[in-house]
Amino acid sequence: MAKYLVQKSNPLSGEVEISGAKNAVLPIMAAALLSEEECTLFDVPALRDVDVLTQLLTHIGAVIKKADTNTLNIYTPKINTYEAPFELVKKMRASFLVAGPLLARTGHARVYMPGGCTIGARPVELHLKGFQAMGAEIINNEIKSFVEMSCDRLQGASIYLDFPSVGATENIMMAAVLAEGTTIIENAAEEPEIVDLANFLNKMGARVKGAGTETIKIEGVEKLGGCKHGIIPDRIETGTFMVAAAITRGEILIKNAVPDHVKAITAKLIECGVVVEKTDEGLLVKGNVNPLVSTNIKTMPYPGFPTDIQSPFMALLTTVEGSSVVIENIFENRFMHVAELNRMGANIKIDGRSAIIYGGRPLQGAQVISTDLRAGAAMVLAGLVAEGTTEIAEIYHIERGYENFVEKFRKLGATIIRIDD
Ligand code: EPZ
């Protein structure tokens, strides 16, 4: 299995270009199943997850061509099967996002349950609640662990989400755009990726209003056409490089970052003493102006502090004097990186959904693993400031979600190489 070797590096400096957002392109690719006409997607990040979803959509009937590294042409003249097979769904839980489009276009969907992952059980009952409210009959076959749904034509409905689930909001939106009548989603997720999906659907001829707020209204239409759409920059990649500037006490210009999408991360970095300046090219982040201090983090649905930056930020907090408290409110098991950071000499105690970081002790290089996509990035950040060499295994997690990860860090002065066993 491939590994990263990371060595203590000088403060990072220079500029980095942010790629298209993984968590925007995945639902948008699924939404392309809703039209027989061609959709062209620009700024698509070259990621393992995009490749996996390409395989699944092709299996279903989509014709997908890479016009270039970051441009996809997708059209689905007809749906060959309404089944998302286990061997594809198991590779990526976001595959469950084909359920809504399949139900909307064919009146049928059989999707294997994505199953949990290291950060949590990842149930989908909120997705199913929305589909049922719209008239779908759910056959939840526990034995075969797939969900089968059918419906002649979905009917508009009013749906309240017990939790502002990103995936459930997206799946219900994609089901509702071709339903008969109007659907209202209350307590909807407000993430920028929801807005990007809504913009894409509206370019196809859908009528989605209110995306980015807690109430989204979708008026069903008969048919959707093709369109051209550029994927928004990845706010989590942006946050990762913002924290990289802070932890290495460096200075990085993060080009084409969207400041509005990283307000919570910016506020917390400023609380730690990091300088963040908006420029016409993006965000200039300086970890080398003030001595950095501790702060407390509470992950919340957008626009609160994003759970996906919790582990990178925790790596930073191990390097500042004083104690910090991190509370993880989104996923029930997203502290797997704590044990790995403690192996590097950090002093972090877990108490339920809280982690207390006693910062300031220098980190030591060690053999660690990447326990999820973002925790892997956190281990790289820790390795950049730890004495000696840090060897990071299971880096496939990282390469699922960060385009040209090693190249981007090396260009900023990081000492990191990828080795294949
Ligand atoms: C999306 O996952 C992202 N993935 C995640 O990013 C991100 O961490 C998460 O949103 C929260 O922001 C993609 O967009 C592909 P949720 P999603 O449904 O949609 C519970 C990354 O690193 N829940 O908002 O699965 C769930 O268990 C990944 O890029 C239910 O209980 O997130 C979790 O505790 C990791 N029932 C919480 O809600 C449901 O039916 C948030 O889940 C659905 C969700």
Side-chain angles (χ1 to χ4, degrees):
M1 296 284 270
K3 293 188 174 82
Y4 288 155
L5 291 184
V6 183
Q7 289 195 323
K8 186 178 174 70
S9 303
N10 293 324
L12 298 188
S13 68
E15 55 185 56
V16 65
E17 184 102 16
I18 296 301
S19 302
K22 168 180 88 78
N23 294 346
V25 72
L26 296 177
I28 286 172
M29 286 174 69
L33 287 175
L34 291 161
S35 171
E36 297 166 4
E37 296 176 18
E38 183 169 78
C39 297
T40 300
L41 304 181
F42 304 106
D43 305 322
V44 173
L47 299 174
R48 182 88 51 80
D49 274 7
V50 170
D51 296 341
V52 169
L53 190 55
T54 297
Q55 282 174 34
L56 174 57
L57 297 180
T58 305
H59 171 85
I60 289 170
V63 176
I64 302 179
K65 290 192 183 64
K66 260 195 178 181
D68 64 42
T69 311
N70 301 109
T71 305
L72 283 187
N73 292 320
I74 305 181
Y75 71 101
T76 315
K78 69 183 181 64
I79 302 277
N80 298 332
T81 171
Y82 53 74
E83 175 169 300
F86 180 66
E87 61 271 12
L88 290 173
V89 171
K90 74 180 179 186
K91 289 182 188 172
M92 183 185 63
R93 55 168 286 95
S95 306
F96 199 70
L97 290 171
V98 302
L102 280 173
L103 206 49
R105 178 123 184 234
T106 69
H108 222 114
R110 183 188 300 140
V111 185
Y112 273 81
M113 298 298 277
C117 63
T118 53
I119 61 178
R122 312 294 292 273
V124 291
E125 88 285 350
L126 294 176
H127 302 234
L128 303 183
K129 174 183 171 183
F131 298 146
Q132 276 176 302
M134 297 168 78
E137 190 203 337
I138 309 275
I139 313 149
N140 200 355
N141 185 328
E142 299 294 344
I143 306 161
K144 296 203 184 83
S145 71
F146 62 79
V147 171
E148 182 149 4
M149 299 167 267
S150 66
C151 180
D152 294 340
R153 185 170 183 205
L154 295 169
Q155 301 299 312
S158 282
I159 298 156
Y160 175 82
L161 291 179
D162 303 351
F163 180 87
S165 154
V166 171
T169 302
E170 292 165 344
N171 238 336
I172 295 165
M173 271 169 67
M174 293 189 282
V177 289
L178 291 176
E180 190 157 20
T182 299
T183 298
I184 308 272
I185 308 173
E186 303 275 10
N187 198 29
E190 303 178 24
E191 275 72 359
E193 293 77 25
I194 304 283
V195 176
D196 207 27
L197 173 61
N199 290 338
F200 175 71
L201 291 167
N202 286 340
K203 283 183 184 176
M204 295 171 84
R207 292 200 196 121
V208 182
K209 290 191 177 67
T213 75
E214 64 180 34
T215 304
I216 301 177
K217 181 178 172 186
I218 304 115
E219 285 175 56
V221 295
E222 285 303 313
K223 206 171 164 57
L224 292 176
C227 71
K228 296 183 187 311
H229 184 77
I231 303 297
I232 54 170
D234 193 315
R235 63 190 171 95
I236 304 302
E237 185 188 22
T238 301
T240 305
F241 281 104
M242 292 174 81
V243 176
I247 195 170
T248 62
R249 298 341 185 236
E251 182 171 320
I252 301 177
L253 173 63
I254 304 175
K255 297 180 76 172
N256 76 2
V258 179
D260 268 5
H261 291 174
V262 290
K263 277 183 180 168
I265 304 166
T266 302
K268 282 296 166 183
L269 285 172
I270 290 171
E271 267 179 35
C272 290
V274 176
V275 171
V276 181
E277 291 165 5
K278 286 183 192 173
T279 76
D280 53 10
E281 287 184 283
L283 282 177
L284 182 58
V285 183
K286 300 178 182 175
N288 53 3
V289 177
N290 306 308
L292 302 190
V293 297
S294 61
T295 187
N296 299 322
I297 300 285
K298 204 179 275 184
T299 67
M300 295 296 282
Y302 193 89
F305 190 91
T307 173
D308 294 346
I309 296 293
Q310 181 254 104
S311 50
F313 211 101
M314 189 184 286
L316 166 63
L317 294 173
T318 67
T319 70
V320 301
E321 287 296 334
S323 59
S324 306
V325 178
V326 171
I327 301 176
E328 172 56 55
N329 287 313
I330 306 295
F331 289 105
E332 68 270 25
N333 187 34
R334 205 168 196 178
F335 282 147
M336 305 280 279
H337 48 282
V338 167
E340 303 305 306
L341 288 169
N342 283 343
R343 285 160 64 79
M344 296 177 72
N347 181 4
I348 307 168
K349 301 268 183 301
I350 295 176
D351 175 11
R353 281 194 174 253
S354 301
I356 300 104
I357 299 101
Y358 302 94
R361 273 193 340 200
L363 297 177
Q364 307 300 319
Q367 290 184 314
V368 294
I369 59 166
S370 162
T371 53
D372 79 66
L373 161 58
R374 309 302 175 182
M379 301 321 295
V380 169
L381 298 186
L384 292 174
V385 296
E387 291 305 325
T389 302
T390 300
E391 184 182 292
I392 303 166
E394 305 196 12
I395 57 165
Y396 60 88
H397 285 296
I398 302 174
E399 297 181 340
R400 280 183 45 204
Y402 285 99
E403 184 180 42
N404 299 328
F405 187 80
V406 171
E407 296 78 0
K408 288 184 177 181
F409 270 98
R410 289 172 66 84
K411 200 171 147 224
L412 292 167
T415 309
I416 174 173
I417 57 167
R418 182 182 196 278
I419 51 169
D420 282 304
D421 264 5

